[in-house]
PDB file of all heavy atoms in Angstrom:
ATOM      1  N   ARG E 117     -27.484  37.986  99.686  1.00 98.00           N
ATOM      2  CA  ARG E 117     -28.394  37.244  98.805  1.00 98.00           C
ATOM      3  C   ARG E 117     -28.912  35.976  99.493  1.00 98.00           C
ATOM      4  O   ARG E 117     -30.096  35.654  99.423  1.00 98.00           O
ATOM      5  CB  ARG E 117     -27.683  36.897  97.491  1.00 98.00           C
ATOM      6  CG  ARG E 117     -28.625  36.346  96.443  1.00 98.00           C
ATOM      7  CD  ARG E 117     -27.948  36.216  95.097  1.00 98.00           C
ATOM      8  NE  ARG E 117     -27.065  35.046  95.116  1.00 98.00           N
ATOM      9  CZ  ARG E 117     -25.852  35.000  94.605  1.00 98.00           C
ATOM     10  NH1 ARG E 117     -25.331  36.048  94.013  1.00 98.00           N
ATOM     11  NH2 ARG E 117     -25.135  33.900  94.662  1.00 98.00           N
ATOM     12  N   PHE E 118     -28.019  35.261 100.198  1.00 98.00           N
ATOM     13  CA  PHE E 118     -28.448  34.064 100.926  1.00 98.00           C
ATOM     14  C   PHE E 118     -29.500  34.410 101.973  1.00 98.00           C
ATOM     15  O   PHE E 118     -30.549  33.758 102.067  1.00 98.00           O
ATOM     16  CB  PHE E 118     -27.257  33.363 101.594  1.00 98.00           C
ATOM     17  CG  PHE E 118     -27.682  32.333 102.595  1.00 98.00           C
ATOM     18  CD1 PHE E 118     -28.177  31.112 102.181  1.00 98.00           C
ATOM     19  CD2 PHE E 118     -27.630  32.603 103.953  1.00 98.00           C
ATOM     20  CE1 PHE E 118     -28.606  30.170 103.099  1.00 98.00           C
ATOM     21  CE2 PHE E 118     -28.057  31.664 104.883  1.00 98.00           C
ATOM     22  CZ  PHE E 118     -28.542  30.441 104.459  1.00 98.00           C
ATOM     23  N   PHE E 119     -29.232  35.434 102.788  1.00 98.00           N
ATOM     24  CA  PHE E 119     -30.175  35.781 103.853  1.00 98.00           C
ATOM     25  C   PHE E 119     -31.482  36.322 103.295  1.00 98.00           C
ATOM     26  O   PHE E 119     -32.546  36.095 103.875  1.00 98.00           O
ATOM     27  CB  PHE E 119     -29.535  36.735 104.859  1.00 98.00           C
ATOM     28  CG  PHE E 119     -28.586  36.040 105.801  1.00 98.00           C
ATOM     29  CD1 PHE E 119     -27.232  36.333 105.792  1.00 98.00           C
ATOM     30  CD2 PHE E 119     -29.048  35.087 106.692  1.00 98.00           C
ATOM     31  CE1 PHE E 119     -26.363  35.688 106.651  1.00 98.00           C
ATOM     32  CE2 PHE E 119     -28.184  34.428 107.562  1.00 98.00           C
ATOM     33  CZ  PHE E 119     -26.829  34.732 107.540  1.00 98.00           C
ATOM     34  N   THR E 120     -31.432  37.021 102.173  1.00 98.00           N
ATOM     35  CA  THR E 120     -32.666  37.460 101.516  1.00 98.00           C
ATOM     36  C   THR E 120     -33.468  36.246 101.054  1.00 98.00           C
ATOM     37  O   THR E 120     -34.688  36.194 101.228  1.00 98.00           O
ATOM     38  CB  THR E 120     -32.347  38.386 100.325  1.00 98.00           C
ATOM     39  OG1 THR E 120     -31.699  39.552 100.827  1.00 98.00           O
ATOM     40  CG2 THR E 120     -33.608  38.788  99.578  1.00 98.00           C
ATOM     41  N   ASP E 121     -32.783  35.265 100.483  1.00 98.00           N
ATOM     42  CA  ASP E 121     -33.457  34.027 100.063  1.00 98.00           C
ATOM     43  C   ASP E 121     -34.072  33.308 101.265  1.00 98.00           C
ATOM     44  O   ASP E 121     -35.193  32.797 101.186  1.00 98.00           O
ATOM     45  CB  ASP E 121     -32.493  33.096  99.336  1.00 98.00           C
ATOM     46  CG  ASP E 121     -32.094  33.601  97.962  1.00 98.00           C
ATOM     47  OD1 ASP E 121     -32.728  34.551  97.453  1.00 98.00           O
ATOM     48  OD2 ASP E 121     -31.132  33.033  97.392  1.00 98.00           O
ATOM     49  N   LEU E 122     -33.355  33.280 102.382  1.00 98.00           N
ATOM     50  CA  LEU E 122     -33.891  32.650 103.594  1.00 98.00           C
ATOM     51  C   LEU E 122     -35.117  33.410 104.093  1.00 98.00           C
ATOM     52  O   LEU E 122     -36.125  32.803 104.471  1.00 98.00           O
ATOM     53  CB  LEU E 122     -32.813  32.603 104.684  1.00 98.00           C
ATOM     54  CG  LEU E 122     -33.222  32.006 106.028  1.00 98.00           C
ATOM     55  CD1 LEU E 122     -33.738  30.580 105.874  1.00 98.00           C
ATOM     56  CD2 LEU E 122     -32.037  32.043 106.992  1.00 98.00           C
ATOM     57  N   GLU E 123     -35.036  34.697 104.068  1.00 97.00           N
ATOM     58  CA  GLU E 123     -36.141  35.555 104.504  1.00 97.00           C
ATOM     59  C   GLU E 123     -37.404  35.291 103.673  1.00 97.00           C
ATOM     60  O   GLU E 123     -38.520  35.354 104.180  1.00 97.00           O
ATOM     61  CB  GLU E 123     -35.696  37.009 104.354  1.00 97.00           C
ATOM     62  CG  GLU E 123     -36.609  38.051 104.885  1.00 97.00           C
ATOM     63  CD  GLU E 123     -36.012  39.440 104.736  1.00 97.00           C
ATOM     64  OE1 GLU E 123     -35.170  39.683 103.849  1.00 97.00           O
ATOM     65  OE2 GLU E 123     -36.417  40.300 105.527  1.00 97.00           O
ATOM     66  N   GLN E 124     -37.243  34.968 102.406  1.00 97.00           N
ATOM     67  CA  GLN E 124     -38.368  34.795 101.491  1.00 97.00           C
ATOM     68  C   GLN E 124     -38.721  33.337 101.199  1.00 97.00           C
ATOM     69  O   GLN E 124     -39.654  33.077 100.444  1.00 97.00           O
ATOM     70  CB  GLN E 124     -38.048  35.509 100.170  1.00 97.00           C
ATOM     71  CG  GLN E 124     -37.874  36.993 100.344  1.00 97.00           C
ATOM     72  CD  GLN E 124     -37.349  37.683  99.091  1.00 97.00           C
ATOM     73  OE1 GLN E 124     -37.062  37.055  98.088  1.00 97.00           O
ATOM     74  NE2 GLN E 124     -37.230  38.991  99.165  1.00 97.00           N
ATOM     75  N   ALA E 125     -37.997  32.388 101.779  1.00 97.00           N
ATOM     76  CA  ALA E 125     -38.226  30.969 101.495  1.00 97.00           C
ATOM     77  C   ALA E 125     -39.630  30.551 101.943  1.00 97.00           C
ATOM     78  O   ALA E 125     -40.049  30.867 103.068  1.00 97.00           O
ATOM     79  CB  ALA E 125     -37.179  30.112 102.196  1.00 97.00           C
ATOM     80  N   PRO E 126     -40.367  29.844 101.088  1.00 96.00           N
ATOM     81  CA  PRO E 126     -41.728  29.422 101.438  1.00 96.00           C
ATOM     82  C   PRO E 126     -41.824  28.587 102.724  1.00 96.00           C
ATOM     83  O   PRO E 126     -42.798  28.711 103.459  1.00 96.00           O
ATOM     84  CB  PRO E 126     -42.164  28.595 100.219  1.00 96.00           C
ATOM     85  CG  PRO E 126     -41.363  29.138  99.093  1.00 96.00           C
ATOM     86  CD  PRO E 126     -40.039  29.519  99.698  1.00 96.00           C
ATOM     87  N   SER E 127     -40.814  27.760 103.012  1.00 94.00           N
ATOM     88  CA  SER E 127     -40.858  26.915 104.216  1.00 94.00           C
ATOM     89  C   SER E 127     -40.397  27.628 105.479  1.00 94.00           C
ATOM     90  O   SER E 127     -40.492  27.081 106.573  1.00 94.00           O
ATOM     91  CB  SER E 127     -39.994  25.666 104.013  1.00 94.00           C
ATOM     92  OG  SER E 127     -40.532  24.861 102.998  1.00 94.00           O
ATOM     93  N   ALA E 128     -39.864  28.838 105.339  1.00 97.00           N
ATOM     94  CA  ALA E 128     -39.298  29.545 106.493  1.00 97.00           C
ATOM     95  C   ALA E 128     -40.386  30.190 107.327  1.00 97.00           C
ATOM     96  O   ALA E 128     -41.092  31.083 106.877  1.00 97.00           O
ATOM     97  CB  ALA E 128     -38.302  30.602 106.023  1.00 97.00           C
TER      98      ALA E 128
END
Side-chain angles (χ1 to χ4, degrees):
R117 190 171 76 222
F118 167 75
F119 283 115
T120 297
D121 289 348
L122 178 57
E123 187 177 26
Q124 297 171 357
S127 295

